[in-house]
Amino acid sequence: MFRRGSQFLSRASTMRWRRPFSTDLPAEASKDSNFVESWRKAIPTVEPPSTPSAFMATRPATPSSIPSKLTVNFVLPYSSELSGKEVDMVIIPATTGQMGVLPGHVSTIAELKPGILSVHEGNDVSKYFVSGGFAYVHANSFADIIAVEAVPLDHINPNLVQKGLADFTQKLSTASTDVEKAEAQIGVDVHSALNAALTG
């Protein structure tokens, strides 16, 4: 295997990628010409139906230079916290660790863990506690953050957090089934993250 490693590496460097990177794709939506052609051959008297690509909005073009601001959409199942807000930076609590997102950040998808989401706009910093979700960072300096639940940090009562942590710790120690243990562990994790956010 190792003897043929140099052959593999030299072959890999001369290979042409079959699929372009997302930044190389056209910004305009393209019709699925193969589908339309096949449809017209099979049923020439009926107009072909629209394919999913016909309903998708065109992808914004990737700017040639890095913009000065990051455009953020921060949504919850029941409301939109930020919509098209231009900010300097966002720090998200990813499962891999805290991740700072600036304008021009590489395209990324990150899973969120319970923790603090910080939105930096000049000298103003808005902090939210998120329980989980996903962040989608696009190459055109847009970021979409989808959280299951989020609360501004200054709306959290520290006494209720301490009480909840004690309650869930007690439930975890007395849990007898796997479901009870899992539910109690989630409660402990969320309340521990809340406590760390308030004290740290």
Side-chain angles (χ1 to χ4, degrees):
M1 180 173 144
F2 292 114
R3 291 185 206 140
R4 300 187 65 194
S6 60
Q7 292 173 347
F8 174 75
L9 289 175
S10 66
R11 198 169 1 125
S13 63
T14 59
M15 284 175 53
R16 298 199 52 134
W17 295 105
R18 295 177 190 269
R19 204 171 92 172
F21 291 107
S22 63
T23 54
D24 299 332
L25 296 174
E28 308 85 35
S30 60
K31 288 217 173 227
D32 190 350
S33 57
N34 292 338
F35 172 76
V36 172
E37 186 180 315
S38 299
W39 181 276
R40 292 197 193 279
K41 284 180 186 175
I43 313 171
T45 58
V46 178
E47 195 62 29
S50 297
T51 58
S53 60
F55 298 101
M56 295 172 64
T58 57
R59 180 181 51 79
T62 303
S64 58
S65 62
I66 296 175
S68 62
K69 296 286 186 179
L70 174 72
T71 304
V72 176
N73 298 308
F74 177 32
V75 294
L76 308 171
Y78 47 85
S79 70
S80 176
E81 291 292 320
L82 302 174
S83 180
K85 177 107 172 162
E86 291 192 344
V87 300
D88 296 319
M89 177 176 67
V90 174
I91 300 175
I92 60 172
T95 54
T96 55
Q98 294 288 82
M99 185 170 89
V101 180
L102 294 165
H105 196 283
V106 67
S107 297
T108 305
I109 298 175
E111 183 181 358
L112 304 181
K113 67 177 182 180
I116 298 177
L117 170 78
S118 302
V119 180
H120 298 256
E121 186 180 8
N123 292 330
D124 296 333
V125 180
S126 302
K127 294 186 176 186
Y128 299 86
F129 181 83
V130 295
S131 62
F134 287 91
Y136 303 90
V137 181
H138 309 280
N140 57 357
S141 293
F142 275 72
D144 296 319
I145 302 166
I146 296 96
V148 177
E149 286 193 67
V151 179
L153 201 58
D154 55 357
H155 291 183
I156 297 172
N157 184 336
N159 296 329
L160 292 177
V161 171
Q162 291 294 330
K163 182 181 181 310
L165 182 58
D167 291 347
F168 279 108
T169 304
Q170 175 65 29
K171 286 180 183 178
L172 183 61
S173 63
T174 60
S176 57
T177 66
D178 288 342
V179 173
E180 289 175 351
K181 288 177 185 175
E183 288 174 350
Q185 186 62 55
I186 291 169
V188 168
D189 291 346
V190 171
H191 282 81
S192 296
L194 272 165
N195 192 39
L198 291 172
T199 59

